[in-house]
Amino acid sequence: MEVDEQIKTFRDFIEQNYYPQLLEAVRKGESYLKLDFSDLVKFNTEISEELLENPQELLKAGEIAIKEFDLPKKISKFNVRFINLPESQKVLISEIRSKHLNKLLWVDGIVRNKTDVRPHVSASKFECPSCGNILSVLQLDQKYKEPTRCGCGRKGKFKEISKELVDGQGLVLEEAAEDLEGFQPKRINVFLRDDLVSPLTERKSSPGSRIQLVGWVTEVPITLKTGGQSIKFELIVEANSLEPLHDDTLSLNITEKDMEEIMKIAKSPDPIHLLAASLAPSIYGHDKIKEAIILQLAGGCRKVRPDGVTTRGDMHMLLIGDPGSGKSQLLKRISQIAPKARFVSGKGATGAGLTAAVVKDEFLGGWSLEAGTLVLANRGFAIIDEMDKMGKEDTSALHEALEQQTVSIAKANIQATLRCETTVLAAANPKFGRFDPYDLIANQINLPPTLINRFDLIFPVKDLPNREKDETTASFILNFHKDPSKAVAEISTELMRKYFSYVRLRINPKMSDVAIEEIKEYYVSMRNSGAPEEGGVRSIPITARQLEALIRLSEASAKIRLAKSVTKKDAQKAIELVSHCLNETAKDSETGKIDIDRLGGSKITATQRNSLSIMKEIISALEEQLNSKVIPVENIVDAAKEKNIPPEKVEESLEKLRRSGDIFEPKRGFVQRL
């Protein structure tokens, strides 16, 4: 097809299908028009095929066609952007080869990092000093080109009179991990120019967002250090149009049939139990944990107050357990069900890799921001295994991400705050590999107390020998190995993904008065249940953080039923799970009361603080009585007996005082205050 013919075809096509949109774009001062490729195919198949084979020439023809229209404003530059290319033109980034050069295709992926917007020269004009001739030079390569000779025969330096500049910006696009099974995702540089770098598209293509990109692949020469040109070329995608893909949750097509299935699950007598049974059919037991994960997958409601403060709706959960108790299997299974999930393992993750890193930009020079796992999983799930194997500096990077749900970075003159509304599900082993049944659980969690505090639910997964339980577990595992097809879930993985995507996006229940009353009653009675012993220190059973956890859990329970409001039953479900976790992790074995300090990492519980203060009183009373600074331990044991404190407790308390530096032992069997 000749060029004139191409221009005429484009002119007719736009006149018939897009004339009003063109007038509107020109009136608004926009310099681009989006055309649907499927409309062009219907209009003329020949030109649509030529467009796929030779996009640069045909887009130029489209631009000339638009300039020929009688428009209300004169336009100097106008871009034609194509969307909705056929599926046959989709290419995975890892499959881009030299045969794709200069062909129109589309890719989708996740923006890893983004450079600043910088002006690039597109064309320049030079004047010949001898004859006054004007020479135009198109700047298509990386290197600035000047004319070498004029028509009059002159060679040498020419005078530059003008140059055209366009805004340019580089992106690094990485293919989505879902498209690949176990391979390393590949990246490619993308070059955006003109209106694609406008502030509106800037927001659409921030690091971590998923985009669909139409463009063509071009090669960029690589200059060697010696100054010559390498035989190797760099590939780069010149973007023609860019569309943000809403999170996978939105792009899941929920059909009417799916909707019927979703309603059927929600209307069943106990939807939480039904979903929990299908969560991980190949893992035996852990019913409470499975129920909690179902609520975590549904999530609470994010609230933004008028003063701009937001309260997170995401619940974070931590599983701490003995080896071989099925934690990692459970986590791997969740990464298949949860919408937009990313899985990382502790030893292979750093703080920068989880939050965000500043990297040197090879493409356009300078520094650019690269999003980490938590930012890439924005509005999705980050699943962290082996969390205890991470370094202290790396776990401290998670504090802000878990509570404020943002990641702030201030490095190499980049100051940025990225959104990370991410739900975290983490697993860790106890400090010494296995739980010691005689020590506090808090002492065995090898994580900073400030981080432990941010988890709404903490489940210890204990693996204790028990004949009946071991028999059922063993027969379950052995039967499963005999016939793997037995572990079939009632609800398919695909339907569960759709169910949670729908629930997280569309359902937003409100708290009812009865639910508020139920939670309030539990909270107040728990707060005041840590009653002080005579003259003792009061233990704190529950804090405001657990109160927020209760609200989030009860909202999630209502979401599972697709309900508009949170009922008393939902509140009771939340209370049941929170009290289960507190009983497992924060119960003081001596008094049977719950003491949050056990979980907060304080090595001394309220009961122990109490016995220590009694010990100190006994020592000071004996000092006066014996009129000596050195007190025999026997006398202390006798005095403690009167207060109903057994001798082994006395020994334990004295040891604690010795370690804290309150007392020392001048000679064997005697103690003295410091």
Side-chain angles (χ1 to χ4, degrees), residues 456 511 516 518-524 527 542-554 574 578:
D456 298 34
M511 294 292 285
I516 288 175
E518 186 76 16
I519 292 173
K520 183 174 155 190
E521 198 177 308
Y522 171 74
Y523 178 71
V524 173
R527 283 286 289 180
I542 191 169
T543 64
R545 271 207 168 124
Q546 275 77 29
L547 179 61
E548 292 211 338
L550 284 166
I551 295 163
R552 283 192 278 270
L553 283 161
S554 49
V578 168

Side-chain angles (χ1 to χ4, degrees), residues 264-362:
K264 197 172 146 191
I265 297 169
K267 297 285 177 277
S268 64
D270 191 354
I272 296 177
H273 185 72
L274 182 67
L275 287 160
S278 303
L279 186 71
S282 58
I283 299 169
Y284 176 76
H286 302 320
D287 298 332
K288 275 274 186 289
I289 296 174
K290 286 180 183 175
E291 282 188 12
I293 288 175
I294 291 295
L295 294 182
Q296 188 191 25
L297 284 163
C301 304
R302 183 178 167 85
K303 300 172 191 75
V304 183
R305 299 185 203 143
D307 59 357
V309 177
T310 55
T311 312
R312 67 179 160 99
D314 298 294
M315 284 174 268
H316 306 311
M317 231 171 96
L318 178 64
L319 308 179
I320 294 201
D322 294 332
S325 50
K327 304 185 303 297
S328 297
Q329 286 278 16
L330 203 54
L331 262 60
K332 265 278 183 251
R333 175 78 179 123
I334 305 305
S335 65
Q336 293 166 350
I337 293 175
K340 205 178 175 186
R342 286 191 163 242
F343 182 93
V344 289
S345 187
K347 199 66 186 160
T350 61
L354 283 171
T355 52
V358 173
V359 291
K360 193 151 184 62
D361 180 38
E362 304 291 328

Side-chain angles (χ1 to χ4, degrees), residues 51-56 85 89 98-106 215-218 238:
L51 176 68
L52 295 177
E53 285 304 310
N54 202 343
Q56 283 161 289
L85 257 66
Q89 295 303 112
S98 53
K99 65 177 182 190
H100 295 116
L101 283 171
N102 301 320
K103 304 268 192 295
L104 195 65
L105 42 87
W106 66 276
W216 58 91
V217 183
T218 58
E238 281 263 2

Side-chain angles (χ1 to χ4, degrees), residues 326-575:
K327 304 185 303 297
S328 297
Q329 286 278 16
L330 203 54
L331 262 60
K332 265 278 183 251
R333 175 78 179 123
I334 305 305
S335 65
Q336 293 166 350
I337 293 175
K340 205 178 175 186
R342 286 191 163 242
F343 182 93
V344 289
S345 187
K347 199 66 186 160
T350 61
L354 283 171
T355 52
V358 173
V359 291
K360 193 151 184 62
D361 180 38
E362 304 291 328
F363 181 36
L364 290 177
W367 296 89
S368 64
L369 200 60
E370 191 165 295
T373 303
L374 289 172
V375 178
L376 292 175
N378 181 30
R379 303 191 63 189
F381 277 71
I383 296 163
I384 307 171
D385 201 2
E386 309 282 354
M387 200 172 183
D388 53 317
K389 312 287 185 294
M390 284 167 68
K392 280 273 190 294
E393 302 77 37
D394 300 331
T395 47
S396 62
L398 298 173
H399 287 182
E400 183 196 1
L402 287 177
E403 194 60 54
Q404 271 70 45
Q405 298 211 303
T406 54
V407 168
S408 303
I409 197 156
K411 289 174 188 171
N413 81 14
I414 284 183
Q415 269 128 20
T417 302
L418 302 171
R419 287 173 68 179
C420 89
E421 291 158 32
T422 311
T423 306
V424 175
L425 173 60
N429 288 114
K431 204 175 209 167
F432 305 111
R434 192 170 272 280
F435 276 122
D436 173 0
Y438 302 108
D439 194 8
L440 293 178
I441 282 182
N443 292 356
Q444 300 178 61
I445 301 177
N446 198 13
L447 290 170
T450 42
L451 191 64
I452 294 172
N453 252 328
R454 285 169 164 76
F455 285 101
D456 298 34
L457 293 174
I458 298 169
F459 284 98
V461 189
K462 291 179 185 170
D463 182 19
L464 298 170
N466 173 329
R467 195 169 191 88
E468 291 155 30
K469 193 178 167 206
D470 293 345
E471 266 181 21
T472 45
T473 310
S475 54
F476 177 85
I477 293 170
L478 293 166
N479 285 335
F480 169 58
H481 276 278
K482 181 183 161 191
D483 182 8
S485 59
K486 272 189 178 173
V488 173
E490 277 183 62
I491 306 165
S492 69
T493 306
E494 190 58 30
L495 182 61
M496 282 182 94
R497 270 183 80 100
K498 289 183 176 180
Y499 186 89
F500 290 117
S501 303
Y502 178 78
V503 159
R504 283 176 82 85
L505 275 170
R506 307 282 157 80
I507 312 295
N508 217 350
K510 297 270 179 287
M511 294 292 285
S512 66
D513 291 342
V514 276
I516 288 175
E517 201 50 51
E518 186 76 16
I519 292 173
K520 183 174 155 190
E521 198 177 308
Y522 171 74
Y523 178 71
V524 173
S525 64
M526 277 295 282
R527 283 286 289 180
N528 296 285
S529 66
E533 292 151 37
E534 301 90 70
V537 182
R538 177 171 248 182
S539 70
I540 298 172
I542 191 169
T543 64
R545 271 207 168 124
Q546 275 77 29
L547 179 61
E548 292 211 338
L550 284 166
I551 295 163
R552 283 192 278 270
L553 283 161
S554 49
E555 284 172 345
S557 173
K559 272 185 170 186
I560 294 282
R561 296 184 295 105
L562 309 184
K564 293 267 170 53
S565 69
V566 180
T567 62
K568 187 175 181 177
K569 209 172 173 188
D570 296 321
Q572 283 165 345
K573 186 83 212 164
I575 289 166

Side-chain angles (χ1 to χ4, degrees), residues 50 66 126 144 153 177 194 203 224 248 289 301 332 375 414 425 438 441 502 532 544 548 568 582 587 590 618 664:
E50 275 193 40
I66 283 173
F126 294 87
Y144 188 60
D194 289 345
R203 281 197 287 275
L224 296 169
D248 314 7
I289 296 174
C301 304
K332 265 278 183 251
V375 178
I414 284 183
L425 173 60
Y438 302 108
I441 282 182
Y502 178 78
E548 292 211 338
K568 187 175 181 177
L582 289 173
K587 199 168 201 173
E590 292 159 23
I618 289 174
F664 70 102

